[in-house]
Amino acid sequence: MSTERVIFDRGYRKYEGPRLGSSGARSAVYRDGVRRVLGLGRKARRKVFPWALISIALIAAAIVIGTHWVIGNIQESLREGVPTYGGLFDFYSGISLLFIAFSGPLLLIPDRTEGVLSVYFSRPLTVDGYLWAKLRAFATVVGAIYLVPQIVLHIGLALISADGFLPYMGDNLDILWKVPVVTLGYVALHAAVIFLLSAWINRTGIAAASFLGLLIAGGAIAGQISQASFSGARWVSLLAFDHHPRIIRDELLGDTVDYPAEIAGFGMWTSVAVIAVIVIVALIAVRQRYRNLA
Amino acid sequence: MAENVVQVSNLTHDYGTVVALKDLDLAIPPGITGLVGANGAGKTTMLRILLGLLHPTSGNATVLGHDSENEPLAVRSRVGYMPEGECIPEDLTAAEFVAYTAQLAGLPKSESVRRASETLFLVGLAEERFRFLGDFSTGMRQRVKLAQALVHDPDLILLDEPASGLDPKGRDQMLALIRRLGELGLNIIMSSHVLTDIEQTCSWVVMLDGGHLLRSGPMGHFDRKSTVLVEVVDDAEAVAARLGTMGIESHVDRRRLVVGPGDLNLERQIVEAVAREGAGLVRMIRSSASLEDLFIEGSHVD
């Protein structure tokens, strides 16, 4: 047997294959965004929180289906009191708030603070392409957190329905557009707020705290002030941002609570307009911020 | 002669009242080009304009035949860029990061993974490629930055202060790596304020000072005054005579010789002469950078 060892210089291989240009770059940012939000390809501790919340969301859907099934077997009429689509949105919005607070800042902040934007924008990738890919990644994951358990719930309720699977589906066709529309309301508002905060704040923890503070504490404070007696107080109710997707949800999936904006006389379309304004302001501001950074 | 990789005409860029580049006209041929100047000379501005990340106030820059202002994506598809500052995500492995940057350049995912491995091998990080970047030393980070700049097989690589922050050994290794890439046929423009780095590495030099072009030309033109100080164990006269037969001028001072001026082959010729005379080489040092002399000279003129 030869004892000689030879070191081969692998040199440099030219690349002659396809180049996907800007669309390839945007797809790469999108895929990385989804993986980053879910902690995939990252250290184990980064996976724990998102997957725990996703598991809780799915388990909640299973529990609701199970409750419907058990109670339905005892007495069908009792199922009226068990939450369904609208009620679950309340639960999911809480989970998604935590999820977004934890994962949303990771989409933008590390790229900026670690300086990798200088590498990214040296590729065939524009600021708009980058931000759009990040937004799509966010919407995919957060939208899935809302939609997947709802789909599980819908199919589960259809399977245990006394009327049978297909009749239940036929009777509840409106759910197929109402749930996505409500989801869109939540995702649009939350994406706008977390992107706006993450575009300026350099610490993920501070961005998360600001997000939760603005939506939870800010909403409560605005709700209280809006009930004061000074002139124009009712307009303050619109600053309870997190109530707007809930108002849309209640309008479409069944009224549960009167939020300060509703008490102040504003309806669903005002909430739609407020969300639209927040989204537009966020888009313009974040885009300008990143154009300055590029 | 091959087509120039960069052509700049009447290029001016200002940041408000601060003029970063002023009426630059230059052409950069294939090979390794050094963009040299003091901090604030306009090197990074120049590189960012070439990438289409900054729009010139006036004039234009053509990179690989594409106008950098009007066709930035076409330029960036075929150019690699290594920024001076930190650009390393702490929570990815080297292989993942480099593969990701290949995808950002438009390579398909499977090919990106393969090329990331090959490129990390090329820059000497084959063993470390599955380690998280947060655990990397400064020298390893610089190599990763270089790897991401060349993973997509660009036609031109822009390196902004590639040896910045490295210790002397790391600096030598990085410059050797860049020379090696040049030998492999890659076109490189590297900025540096360290003139010796440029001298050791580049075949073409562009000197900037305060946004003005001082000089641009092949390294040989700049190197004409460069001499080498040689110390031998004994018989310096014989070495001088041998060098004389090779057409190389030298002056003897006891066991020391000042040899040259000569180009970058001078050291090799000296070693050959010393070996032939059996004189025993103690040390060999190129005289203080001739490029520096020219730079200072040019700065004073302006």
Side-chain angles (χ1 to χ4, degrees):
Chain A
M1 194 174 87
S2 169
T3 56
E4 283 186 26
R5 296 288 183 269
V6 180
I7 297 172
F8 290 100
D9 184 351
R10 287 161 62 167
Y12 181 82
R13 187 169 62 93
K14 297 293 286 179
Y15 175 71
E16 307 290 351
R19 289 180 188 267
L20 308 176
S22 297
S23 64
R26 287 195 300 272
S27 298
V29 175
Y30 169 76
R31 283 194 302 271
D32 176 71
V34 171
R35 288 170 58 81
R36 186 178 297 195
V37 168
L38 295 174
L40 301 176
R42 267 70 182 179
K43 290 178 177 174
R45 62 186 163 82
R46 292 277 299 278
K47 296 179 176 68
V48 174
F49 195 68
W51 286 101
L53 291 177
I54 289 168
S55 303
I56 290 169
L58 285 169
I59 289 167
I63 288 172
V64 170
I65 296 166
T67 308
H68 273 275
W69 182 70
V70 170
I71 289 179
N73 280 343
I74 299 167
Q75 191 177 342
E76 186 67 23
S77 62
L78 290 176
R79 284 178 61 183
E80 295 294 321
V82 182
T84 56
Y85 306 99
L88 269 191
F89 261 115
D90 243 350
F91 182 69
Y92 294 147
S93 66
I95 291 204
S96 98
L97 271 187
L98 289 176
F99 185 88
I100 294 165
F102 175 80
S103 302
L106 296 175
L107 273 176
L108 294 184
I109 293 176
D111 283 356
R112 206 174 59 248
T113 55
E114 289 169 343
V116 290
L117 289 179
S118 58
V119 170
Y120 295 176
F121 293 137
S122 72
R123 302 299 209 247
L125 179 69
T126 60
V127 167
D128 290 347
Y130 170 81
L131 290 174
W132 178 238
K134 292 282 184 182
L135 190 58
R136 278 199 304 138
F138 176 89
T140 299
V141 177
V142 177
I145 287 178
Y146 279 109
L147 286 176
V148 171
Q150 292 281 4
I151 291 168
V152 170
L153 178 69
H154 192 54
I155 293 171
L157 291 179
L159 285 171
I160 64 170
S161 169
D163 301 332
F165 184 84
L166 289 178
Y168 181 88
M169 286 292 207
D171 291 344
N172 293 280
L173 278 177
D174 58 338
I175 290 297
L176 298 181
W177 68 266
K178 284 179 177 175
V179 166
V181 167
V182 174
T183 299
L184 180 65
Y186 277 102
V187 172
L189 175 78
H190 292 164
V193 174
I194 198 70
F195 271 56
L196 206 49
L197 294 170
S198 300
W200 271 272
I201 296 172
N202 284 342
R203 301 286 293 270
T204 54
I206 295 174
S210 305
F211 176 75
L212 293 174
L214 185 66
L215 292 186
I216 298 174
I221 293 167
Q224 288 298 318
I225 295 173
S226 68
Q227 289 168 24
S229 56
F230 64 90
S231 107
R234 65 188 287 260
W235 295 97
V236 179
S237 65
L238 297 180
L239 297 177
F241 299 132
D242 201 38
H243 292 168
H244 295 296
R246 295 177 194 213
I247 291 170
I248 298 171
R249 175 203 64 196
D250 286 357
E251 186 70 27
L252 295 179
L253 295 172
D255 196 13
T256 56
V257 180
D258 278 336
Y259 292 99
E262 291 178 296
I263 295 168
F266 297 107
M268 182 185 78
W269 290 107
T270 308
S271 291
V272 170
V274 170
I275 292 174
V277 168
I278 292 170
V279 167
I280 291 168
V281 168
L283 278 177
I284 294 170
V286 173
R287 185 172 185 246
Q288 193 54 47
R289 164 76 165 152
Y290 274 78
R291 286 190 163 212
N292 293 339
L293 289 171
Chain B
M1 184 173 162
E3 199 174 319
N4 292 324
V5 291
V6 168
Q7 188 85 41
V8 168
S9 305
N10 298 318
L11 191 72
T12 296
H13 185 80
D14 58 54
Y15 298 97
T17 55
V18 179
V19 178
L21 295 172
K22 180 72 176 167
D23 291 332
L24 243 56
D25 279 296
L26 63 94
I28 296 177
I32 306 182
T33 295
L35 190 58
V36 67
N39 291 330
K43 304 186 296 291
T44 299
T45 300
M46 173 84 165
L47 295 181
R48 289 175 62 77
I49 286 175
L50 296 182
L51 281 167
L53 295 172
L54 277 180
H55 295 294
T57 309
S58 63
N60 64 73
T62 305
V63 180
L64 303 167
H66 298 283
D67 185 305
S68 69
E69 186 177 7
N70 298 318
E71 304 169 89
L73 297 185
V75 170
R76 286 184 229 153
S77 294
R78 304 316 302 260
V79 171
Y81 175 54
M82 175 182 173
E84 180 184 6
E86 272 292 314
C87 59
I88 298 290
E90 306 280 322
D91 61 347
L92 285 180
T93 65
E96 285 170 331
F97 174 59
V98 176
Y100 178 42
T101 59
Q103 291 172 60
L104 287 175
L107 270 61
K109 193 175 174 189
S110 57
E111 190 60 35
S112 297
V113 172
R114 185 164 35 241
R115 283 199 65 86
S117 269
E118 291 176 4
T119 311
L120 286 165
F121 190 97
L122 184 67
V123 301
L125 290 174
E127 300 294 324
E128 296 85 356
R129 67 186 186 278
F130 296 121
R131 278 174 55 188
F132 283 99
L133 291 166
D135 303 330
F136 274 30
S137 67
T138 305
M140 290 158 75
R141 283 164 176 258
Q142 288 296 95
R143 284 166 184 264
V144 171
K145 284 165 64 177
L146 181 60
Q148 65 77 25
L150 59 95
V151 65
H152 54 296
D153 184 26
D155 294 327
L156 172 65
I157 305 173
L158 306 178
L159 308 177
D160 196 355
E161 303 277 1
S164 172
L166 296 177
D167 59 26
K169 187 180 172 194
R171 176 176 289 272
D172 287 345
Q173 289 173 339
M174 176 58 73
L175 296 179
L177 193 51
I178 294 168
R179 281 195 299 273
R180 166 112 175 86
L181 295 175
E183 289 163 10
L184 290 168
L186 297 171
N187 299 312
I188 297 169
I189 297 176
M190 77 176 248
S191 82
S192 178
H193 62 276
V194 181
L195 298 166
T196 49
D197 288 358
I198 299 290
E199 280 184 315
Q200 288 175 39
T201 316
C202 300
S203 56
W204 189 275
V205 181
V206 174
M207 281 185 173
L208 295 177
D209 183 49
H212 296 268
L213 179 66
L214 285 184
R215 293 161 193 269
S216 174
M219 177 60 90
H221 289 191
F222 293 89
D223 220 33
R224 64 189 186 280
K225 294 197 296 187
S226 182
T227 57
V228 175
L229 176 65
V230 180
E231 185 176 339
V232 292
V233 176
D234 55 22
D235 217 357
E237 292 288 353
V239 174
R242 170 67 67 177
L243 287 167
T245 64
M246 296 162 75
I248 300 167
E249 186 184 341
S250 62
H251 303 283
V252 179
D253 177 14
R254 285 176 292 179
R255 289 187 297 139
R256 290 181 180 165
L257 303 95
V258 178
V259 185
D263 61 16
L264 294 174
N265 285 321
L266 189 56
E267 281 89 342
R268 187 181 53 76
Q269 292 169 307
I270 293 167
V271 170
E272 185 184 330
V274 172
R276 283 182 181 276
E277 293 303 324
L281 184 62
V282 177
R283 69 176 64 116
M284 183 165 64
I285 306 165
R286 191 165 275 270
S287 65
S288 63
S290 61
L291 208 52
E292 190 170 343
D293 297 337
L294 285 177
F295 186 77
I296 292 165
E297 182 187 309
S299 303
H300 288 166
V301 168
D302 271 28

